[in-house]
Amino acid sequence: MAFNFGAPSGTSGTAAATAAPVGGFGGFGTTSTTAGSAFSFSAPTNTGTTGLFGGTQNKGFGFGTGFGTTTGTSTGLGTGLGTGLGFGGFNTQQQQQQTTLGGLFSQPTQAPTQSNQLINTASALSAPTLLGDERDAILAKWNQLQAFWGTGKGYFNNNIPPVEFTQENPFCRFKAVGYSCMPSNKDEDGLVVLVFNKKETEIRSQQQQLVESLHKVLGGNQTLTVNVEGTKTLPDDQTEVVIYVVERSPNGTSRRVPATTLYAHFEQANIKTQLQQLGVTLSMTRTELSPAQIKQLLQNPPAGVDPIIWEQAKVDNPDSEKLIPVPMVGFKELLRRLKVQDQMTKQHQTRLDIISEDISELQKNQTTSVAKIAQYKRKLMDLSHRTLQVLIKQEIQRKSGYAIQADEEQLRVQLDTIQGELNAPTQFKGRLNELMSQIRMQNHFGAVRSEERYYIDADLLREIKQHLKQQQEGLSHLISIIKDDLEDIKLVEHGLNEPIHIRGGVFS
């Protein structure tokens, strides 16, 4: 069921809601039998007056999945339908048809029928004269209840037909104002929305067949190419498909067909029938509103909406640059918006889940990369040491047989100084002895408590062994010197203890 905010049908030049449009939201005006969008801001009439913009064609625009407009002209598409739009593939054929921009963009003419309808509505709500007794007061309250609810018929006079109460009447209480995002696409982008009565999985699996079918709908012209911009799931197992058509010229250049031109072609009766056979329930353009259209929309509250509520909705608009107030009439429209919101929430949650999985995967990759970096650092250090050893051996072989140079002598002095500092008892040697004592104590405690084990770094243990080896060699050398000195002393003592005459005979 569509929700329409236009005036009821009459005999004057105002638009008559002769048929409900396809979709969930009828718009701010009345619709005609050829209306294909769910949210229209204008409708054709049977008068010869033009609308606010003085044209005979109303440029369609839409709000996401549920908003769009209708056109009042028929447009031809294809090389066989005329030339004049650059490449000869698209040309609009103006029909002998006069339209008007009703709804929000033009004020309907005050006809006698509307005045009578207002009088009849007031009589049904305040002073019905159907029964002629106190029961008319009860009937008035019942009519008021029906008007507040937005459904039913209000009987007030035996000679006059009852008043039909709809949700568009100004007394209906089940109304609210929400906000919809305004599209930002240009008409040159050529984006047209087609709503299919199929699931998204089915549309994606048959996307190629869908593109070929749409190409046939456009006449099968080889200079035209149908492209799918994107798809989105809608409530009630519907799918929104955004398409655009590219036209190639004989000289090799290409351009996108304007959205209004493509939409006007889709709104032709025979083309619309073919689209319905493909499962299309709604078509609309996705183009931005002009400043004049936005101003006109905001200045005139929709039919049946209190101007005070409309003004308050404009004040409460959280982002007037991107959002536009949209009336919601009845529970069905509220349910439709709730379904759309739930669907969008699910899509956001799905996207968040994908992002969370990507973050987890990135964290795993980061941990693996950190471990590999540490491994490569150790490997680089080992290779650096090996390279240094090779360079040392190569340098030794290269310098073999040459005298020591000045810089090498200076380096040797520095190394000797460092070696002396290492061997100094009061510096590093004392610290080394302290470490050795701690090692012994740890070994002792380790023997007592075998469950406690301590380990020394391999490089440090190698240095300790080298230092102890040097100390051992030094002690061995010192012991050998002492032994030699003792032998010399013994020899001297033996010589001193011999008799003098023996020594004299020896010297004679």
Side-chain angles (χ1 to χ4, degrees), residues 303-322:
V305 177
D306 192 344
I308 298 178
I309 297 178
W310 187 252
E311 291 296 329
Q312 186 63 36
K314 293 191 294 184
V315 174
D316 296 339
N317 192 342
D319 190 350
S320 59
E321 298 294 332
K322 297 181 179 180

Side-chain angles (χ1 to χ4, degrees), residues 21-72:
V22 181
F25 203 57
F28 287 102
T30 54
T31 60
S32 66
T33 56
T34 59
S37 64
F39 189 63
S40 61
F41 287 89
S42 64
T45 65
N46 53 7
T47 65
T49 59
T50 57
L52 176 66
F53 302 101
T56 58
Q57 178 177 355
N58 183 22
K59 195 172 186 179
F61 54 89
F63 291 99
T65 61
F67 308 97
T69 56
T70 63
T71 59

Side-chain angles (χ1 to χ4, degrees), residues 394-406 408-409:
Q394 184 180 3
E395 188 69 16
I396 291 174
Q397 293 179 359
R398 190 175 67 86
K399 293 292 185 177
S400 179
Y402 290 90
I404 298 178
Q405 299 178 359
E408 295 177 346
E409 181 64 24

Side-chain angles (χ1 to χ4, degrees), residues 15 18 86 100 130 171 192 225 244 255 363 365 416 431 469:
T18 57
T100 184
L130 183 66
F171 302 101
V192 175
T225 304
Y244 64 92
R255 72 178 181 96
Q363 289 177 347
N365 295 338
D416 291 340
R431 295 181 183 178
K469 183 178 180 181

Side-chain angles (χ1 to χ4, degrees), residues 148-215:
F148 293 159
W149 184 261
T151 184
K153 295 182 180 181
Y155 293 90
F156 64 98
N157 194 294
N158 291 323
N159 300 323
I160 302 177
V163 178
E164 185 76 23
F165 293 116
T166 63
Q167 293 180 339
E168 287 77 20
N169 77 84
F171 302 101
C172 181
R173 297 296 181 87
F174 300 101
K175 297 179 181 178
V177 179
Y179 300 93
S180 294
C181 181
M182 293 186 292
S184 59
N185 303 101
K186 304 290 185 181
D187 186 34
E188 293 77 11
D189 296 335
L191 298 182
V192 175
V193 177
L194 299 177
V195 178
F196 289 84
N197 195 19
K198 299 179 181 179
K199 295 183 179 181
E200 183 181 6
T201 55
E202 185 178 355
I203 293 294
R204 289 186 179 276
S205 62
Q206 301 177 358
Q207 181 171 332
Q208 185 61 33
Q209 293 85 343
L210 174 63
V211 171
E212 294 176 356
S213 300
L214 292 176
H215 187 264

